[in-house]
Amino acid sequence: MARHQENQDNSSQSGFLFEESTNLQRRRLLATLFRRTCRAISYLLVGMVCYLLWDVFSDGIPWLSWDFLTHYASRLPEKSGIKASLFGSLWVIAITITFALPVGIGAGTYLEELMPEGKLKDLISLNIQNLAGVPSIVYGILGLAIFVRTFNFGTSVLSGGLTLGLLILPIIIIVTRESLRSVPQSIRQAALAMGATEWQVVKYYVLPTSFSGILTGVILAVSRAIGETAPLILVGAVAYIRYTPDSPLDAYTTLPIQIYNWVGKPKQEFHELAAAGILVLLAIMFLINLVAIVLRQRKQKTYI
């Protein structure tokens, strides 16, 4: 009887081990399948990006020249250039960064470090998160109502730059808060224990430590702003202009709008000009990222 009971126990234990082994093999199979699927999707996306870049390079490289950078747009492809749109983009991005950086970093720092906990803080945080997902065309309408009509800036570079500043402001605030949260609490406690005020802790310890993460978010936000078209069309950016802006209140055009205008033309030469404009836009984004990376590395060396 005892031997029979022992055989049943061994049998049930063997069945349990077999079932556990089968479940383990199934999980491993699913994990392998998931990993290979993600890898295949990644390779597919990288391949698509490489194909698009190759297509742009092959069409645009022959048109890149000093004349292309120094001539204004024209109805004749061989005489067209991006001087007006290039200077317009630089003006707009300069105003956007000047407005959005101090306001965004300051607001994020206040919300995360200095503002008391409560329903008001939760409400503001929720609205900022919602604003980060609002379509860019809505910010164009907002810029049209506030900067063009209410403040009477007109269809100027200032209106376009401030509108794009509003567009990236929620992103900078959110990234600033997340970077500040990543700073160890022990740094704050040690500084407070040494007699530093709350503002001194933020200024001399928390912000420098989180500078790398904040700058990374700023790079992403500016990269989004430099390629926007819809908000600028609503606030009065024109597609054809024969001069460069001399002040923030002048009319302007930008590279994305000029590229969009060329793509809509029937001649193949204008499409190739658009590809050349895309290459210049990518070069500007690369230079902005390079400057930000250099600044980030210098700051990291300073505080190590």
Side-chain angles (χ1 to χ4, degrees):
M1 189 71 180
R3 183 176 297 177
H4 180 69
Q5 182 67 31
E6 184 179 354
N7 290 336
Q8 286 184 343
D9 292 341
N10 291 335
S11 178
S12 61
Q13 185 176 5
S14 299
F16 175 75
L17 292 175
F18 176 76
E19 184 178 355
E20 185 178 6
S21 176
T22 303
N23 291 335
L24 181 60
Q25 291 178 356
R26 187 183 299 113
R27 288 197 297 269
R28 286 178 177 174
L29 180 62
L30 290 175
T32 303
L33 181 63
F34 177 75
R35 186 166 55 251
R36 290 181 178 177
T37 302
C38 292
R39 187 181 303 164
I41 294 174
S42 300
Y43 289 157
L44 178 63
L45 293 177
V46 171
M48 292 173 61
V49 171
C50 291
Y51 173 77
L52 291 175
L53 288 176
W54 171 254
D55 187 54
V56 170
F57 269 90
S58 60
D59 288 343
I61 285 292
W63 290 87
L64 285 180
S65 64
W66 183 249
D67 290 339
F68 179 72
L69 297 176
T70 57
H71 285 186
Y72 295 103
S74 172
R75 293 180 175 86
L76 300 176
E78 60 275 8
K79 294 184 178 181
S80 287
I82 58 168
K83 182 177 180 179
S85 57
L86 178 60
F87 277 85
S89 290
L90 295 177
W91 268 96
V92 169
I93 290 302
I95 293 173
T96 299
I97 294 175
T98 303
F99 166 69
L101 242 64
V103 175
I105 294 176
T109 303
Y110 176 74
L111 284 172
E112 188 61 31
E113 298 290 333
L114 303 175
M115 188 174 185
E117 298 290 338
K119 293 183 178 180
L120 179 60
K121 181 177 179 178
D122 295 337
L123 179 62
I124 294 174
S125 301
L126 179 62
N127 282 305
I128 290 174
Q129 292 174 358
N130 291 333
L131 287 173
V134 172
S136 60
I137 192 71
V138 177
Y139 286 98
I141 298 172
L142 187 63
L144 177 65
I146 296 177
F147 302 122
V148 176
R149 295 177 179 173
T150 303
F151 291 116
N152 201 27
F153 292 151
T155 57
S156 62
V157 178
L158 185 60
S159 296
L162 293 176
T163 301
L164 292 184
L166 288 180
L167 174 67
I168 66 174
L169 196 58
I171 302 174
I172 296 177
I173 293 174
I174 292 173
V175 171
T176 300
R177 297 189 64 186
E178 292 296 331
S179 300
L180 293 174
R181 287 188 193 131
S182 67
V183 177
Q185 196 66 24
S186 58
I187 294 179
R188 299 177 177 86
Q189 294 171 352
L192 290 172
M194 295 298 293
T197 64
E198 193 172 4
W199 168 242
Q200 288 174 332
V201 172
V202 173
K203 180 179 179 181
Y204 294 108
Y205 299 97
V206 178
L207 275 176
T209 305
S210 61
F211 181 81
S212 175
I214 293 174
L215 198 55
T216 301
V218 169
I219 292 172
L220 296 175
V222 173
S223 298
R224 179 188 176 184
I226 199 173
E228 284 292 341
T229 304
L232 297 180
I233 292 176
L234 280 176
V235 296
V238 294
Y240 180 78
I241 193 170
R242 294 285 298 176
Y243 59 89
T244 57
D246 293 326
S247 74
L249 296 179
D250 288 342
Y252 68 103
T253 187
T254 61
L255 275 172
I257 292 178
Q258 185 62 68
I259 292 169
Y260 175 77
N261 183 41
W262 278 336
V263 169
K265 293 183 178 296
K267 288 185 178 181
Q268 178 63 26
E269 290 84 355
F270 283 111
H271 298 173
E272 295 172 356
L273 284 172
I278 292 173
L279 293 180
V280 175
L281 188 62
L282 290 175
I284 293 174
M285 293 175 61
F286 175 78
L287 289 176
I288 292 175
N289 292 345
L290 183 62
V291 170
I293 291 171
V294 171
L295 290 176
R296 183 174 61 188
Q297 290 179 344
R298 287 186 178 180
K299 283 291 183 179
Q300 287 176 342
K301 291 179 181 179
T302 303
Y303 293 103
I304 289 178

